Amino acid sequence: MRVVVIGGSGHIGTFLVPRLVRAGHEVINISRGIRTAYADAPEWQQVRQVATDREREDAEGTFGDTVAALDPDVVVDLVCFTFEAATALVERLRGEVGHLLHCGTVWRCGPSDKVPISETTGTPPVGEYGIQQDRIARMLKEETASGGVVTTSLHPGHIVGPGWHPIGPLGNLDPAVWYTLSAGKPLQIPGSGVELMHHVHADDVAQAFERAIEHRDAAAGEDFNVVAPTALNVRGFAHVGAGWFGRSASLEPVTWERFRRTTAPEHAEASWEHLYRSHCFTIEKASTLLGYTPRYEPEAAVLESVRWLIEHDELKVAGPLVS
């Protein structure tokens, strides 16, 4: 099949595009053309690259025409963030594409009140990003149910992998957290330390997209959580992370008020956004209908990211990894 991947040079596409080529598909990658994938692979030599500015074309109402002109059997949209953009693409591809797959987010669910969270048991989303993605997922289900485009939405957790910083034990991207843990110094943690984060390796997300394409009938009109088999809480994540450096985590619980006073605003806000949601999801639906079998536990996925950053001098730590 001819598969058009929108945004295929990013986190997920780095692994998805080579997977699709190996599966025998003809692959076209649409991107802005300003960066390459995070990890090189020989399969990229067989991929047709189409450079375009989606934001500009969405504003002009022409992006759907760009996609349709490529005559795809399958479209995988990895970089759609607004309801208007998603709706415009669906309307343009109606009757012209066999399967449209959309990448959403677990933030389509609000703060947890019961875990694990299934595709039907989450609380209403909070924040514009989650609200938009929830609207998109619901629109796609209705589109397929009404006899329109066959759609599938997949909702990853916190994506990690080689080449970029992972969401760390405090629910933010502050690199100083890793230095503190690697040095065995006290780490202030806001709240109780039992708040949950649910990571997923980018290649496992790619696996889920590949399986959804393979099992089109089972995936038609469905939405899927795509996360690691388990989730980490703040306390456990910190202890695991310190152990990678042969250290024991020294944790100092503090109030959110104090944490905000002693933490850079952007990191404090990111911590709040991740931790007050306290997410843990079930992958039973994806496993049953798609055969989704993630390779990575969350700690293994994050360790791969941390190791890559250290080896490429992009993360300062107090000592070497011992695991």
Side-chain angles (χ1 to χ4, degrees):
M1 292 188 293
R2 177 177 294 172
V3 182
V4 169
V5 181
I6 304 170
S9 300
H11 297 163
I12 301 167
T14 290
F15 296 94
L16 175 60
V17 169
R19 276 178 169 269
L20 295 175
V21 172
R22 290 193 296 271
H25 299 294
E26 176 189 353
V27 182
I28 302 172
N29 176 39
I30 297 179
S31 69
R32 288 177 295 175
I34 61 175
R35 58 154 291 120
T36 58
Y38 285 89
D40 193 19
E43 290 84 1
W44 284 97
Q45 298 176 14
Q46 303 177 49
V47 177
R48 176 183 170 189
Q49 301 288 345
V50 174
T52 191
D53 185 335
R54 179 181 187 163
E55 186 174 351
R56 175 181 58 80
E57 290 199 7
D58 270 335
E60 296 172 351
T62 60
F63 183 69
D65 294 331
T66 296
V67 177
L70 298 172
D71 194 25
D73 300 300
V74 176
V75 173
V76 179
D77 193 350
L78 299 177
V79 288
C80 182
F81 306 110
T82 69
F83 180 79
E84 291 73 20
T87 301
L89 186 60
V90 164
E91 291 177 349
R92 180 60 183 86
L93 296 181
R94 191 176 291 139
E96 295 197 33
V97 67
H99 194 186
L100 171 63
L101 298 95
H102 170 84
C103 183
T105 173
V106 293
W107 278 18
R108 66 177 297 203
C109 298
S112 63
D113 56 13
K114 183 179 182 180
V115 295
I117 303 166
S118 74
E119 288 77 2
T120 60
T121 60
T123 62
V126 292
E128 188 61 22
Y129 176 49
I131 290 171
Q132 289 282 330
Q133 292 294 349
D134 184 57
R135 288 185 68 197
I136 293 170
R138 293 176 183 276
M139 177 273 291
L140 293 174
K141 290 178 74 73
E142 292 170 1
E143 170 71 17
T144 303
S146 65
V149 181
V150 173
T151 69
T152 304
S153 64
L154 294 93
H155 299 272
H158 311 313
I159 301 174
V160 293
W164 63 93
H165 285 262
I167 293 297
L170 298 187
N172 62 33
L173 296 173
D174 185 359
V177 172
W178 295 109
Y179 187 91
T180 299
L181 290 172
S182 69
K185 294 182 177 181
L187 179 69
Q188 290 188 346
I189 61 171
S192 64
V194 298
E195 295 84 359
L196 293 159
M197 292 162 277
H198 213 150
H199 294 75
V200 61
H201 194 286
D203 188 48
D204 283 333
V205 181
Q207 177 205 147
F209 272 95
E210 182 182 11
R211 293 190 184 279
I213 292 170
E214 292 173 351
H215 302 285
R216 175 182 178 273
D217 291 345
E222 299 292 349
D223 52 349
F224 298 95
N225 298 331
V226 182
V227 291
T230 58
L232 292 166
N233 65 23
V234 171
R235 184 177 60 217
F237 195 174
H239 282 299
V240 168
W244 295 336
F245 300 93
R247 300 287 189 174
S248 296
S250 175
L251 306 181
E252 180 186 348
V254 297
T255 64
W256 274 100
E257 181 181 3
R258 180 177 174 186
F259 183 74
R260 289 182 184 277
R261 288 200 307 266
T262 59
T263 305
E266 67 271 22
H267 295 318
E269 183 60 25
S271 292
W272 173 255
E273 290 290 343
H274 286 89
L275 301 185
Y276 95 111
R277 285 177 168 84
S278 195
H279 280 162
C280 174
F281 293 85
T282 173
I283 56 173
E284 181 179 1
K285 181 178 179 181
S287 297
T288 300
L289 294 185
L290 305 181
Y292 172 58
T293 54
R295 293 176 52 216
Y296 289 85
E297 287 287 344
E299 58 268 38
V302 175
L303 176 57
E304 187 174 293
S305 293
V306 170
R307 189 185 305 280
W308 188 97
L309 291 169
I310 293 172
E311 290 176 348
H312 289 79
D313 296 322
E314 295 189 22
L315 183 64
K316 183 181 179 181
V317 291
L321 290 165
V322 299
S323 62

